[in-house]
Amino acid sequence: MTDETAGTGWQGWRSWRAATEAALYGPGGFYRRPEGPAGHFRTSVHASPLFARAVAGLLCRVDEALGRPERLDFVDMAAGRGELAGGVLAALPAEVAARTRAYAVEIAERPAGLDHRIEWRARLPESVTGLLFANEWLDNVPVEVAETDAAGVARRVLVRADGTERLGEPVGEAEAEWLARWWPLPAEEGLRAEIGLERDTAWASAVSCVERGLAVAVDYAHTVDTRPAFGTLTGFREGRETAPVPDGSCDITAHVALDACTLPGGRVLTQRAALRALGIAGARPPLSLASTDPAAYVRALAGAGEAAELTAPGGLGDFGWLVQPVRIPDPLAQA
């Protein structure tokens, strides 16, 4: 029995990947709690219905690229309480909605009052023809954390349920290879990285379910040229950022190396660019509208404020969109 596996109860040492898996998805885990993610943090889905409308517009573009099939799939991966799936169905033109089969993939129980047209699942469908959309999923796929020791060796970070850490064994061969390619760690004591192997595998598995269509992953991201020196592992509880404590009391998240996840034919762009390509620009309405139609002006002004939040530099607009077409042209080719 090793230090990493000894004492898997609250007092034992575990790798961050194992600890996060239990804290988020185990019995009584954070993502099984009744309030759902919206009770602790605000995503683009919760910020404005414009986001769901934009995704509905993207689904319509995918529909066109597919030749308007008899059945069009929409998969809301890591669906929370189904807010995005419901919003997309509500925003679709009636003819497209009639052909759309919507899936919400989430480990929690189906919430009461969810649109009956949405199929609630714990796993992805085996075959998807349409759009698979994963909003803030990959940042919650648990990863190992590495830290360089005094000798410059990258070691796995171990953690207890109260958040106490210590260094464990040197990272394995596959992990070392991933670090060398995607997150090189200088031989300086205390530098940290999150090893994205599990996320690369999870994304490739999700994309493999798409027979034809588009897969999109949206997340806080960084690139190989901009990796943070001390990693990004953090926690969220009741709307506030907090220390990542793997006891089930808070979300545990880390930004995603979307460039490492990208498969051949895929690309990464900002949410700002993607939403602008889908007609969400945040431009203020003309002042003349205030005198000709005050109510319309107020509505347009509110919409512009919501669009500005979704596309804001330094905020939601800087999210990465990993766009992966499968046997269709890229519907966001102009973005």
Side-chain angles (χ1 to χ4, degrees), residues 2 23 66 112 120-121 137 232 260 283 314:
T2 67
L66 290 169
W120 194 262
R121 299 174 58 97
W137 167 49
T232 62

Side-chain angles (χ1 to χ4, degrees), residues 17-81:
R17 184 174 70 81
T20 302
E21 182 74 32
L24 297 184
Y25 307 115
F30 179 82
Y31 277 98
R32 296 186 184 276
R33 292 167 59 163
E35 72 270 22
H40 295 270
F41 52 87
R42 190 165 177 257
T43 71
S44 296
V45 178
H46 308 119
S48 170
L50 291 176
F51 190 77
R53 291 178 205 167
V55 177
L58 180 58
L59 179 58
C60 288
R61 293 191 185 189
V62 173
D63 184 41
E64 291 285 345
L66 290 169
R68 299 184 179 182
E70 183 176 336
R71 189 182 105 181
L72 177 67
D73 296 323
F74 174 69
V75 180
D76 181 5
M77 182 65 191
R81 295 304 177 263

Side-chain angles (χ1 to χ4, degrees), residues 4 11 16 44 92 101 154 179 199 213 219 240 270 279 295 310:
E4 184 175 339
Q11 302 304 315
W16 263 111
S44 296
L92 287 173
R101 184 163 185 178
L179 286 171
R199 291 169 174 178
D219 251 306
R240 296 177 180 272
T270 65
L310 291 172

Side-chain angles (χ1 to χ4, degrees), residues 142-169:
V143 291
E144 300 291 7
V145 177
E147 181 177 321
T148 50
D149 65 12
V153 175
R155 293 181 177 271
R156 193 175 295 180
V157 179
L158 307 182
V159 64
R160 284 178 168 163
D162 64 0
T164 304
E165 294 182 337
R166 73 172 179 83
L167 297 187
E169 295 297 314

Side-chain angles (χ1 to χ4, degrees), residues 39-41 234-243 250-251:
H40 295 270
F41 52 87
T234 191
F236 284 93
R237 182 189 297 114
E238 297 177 355
R240 296 177 180 272
E241 189 169 7
T242 185
C250 67
D251 184 29

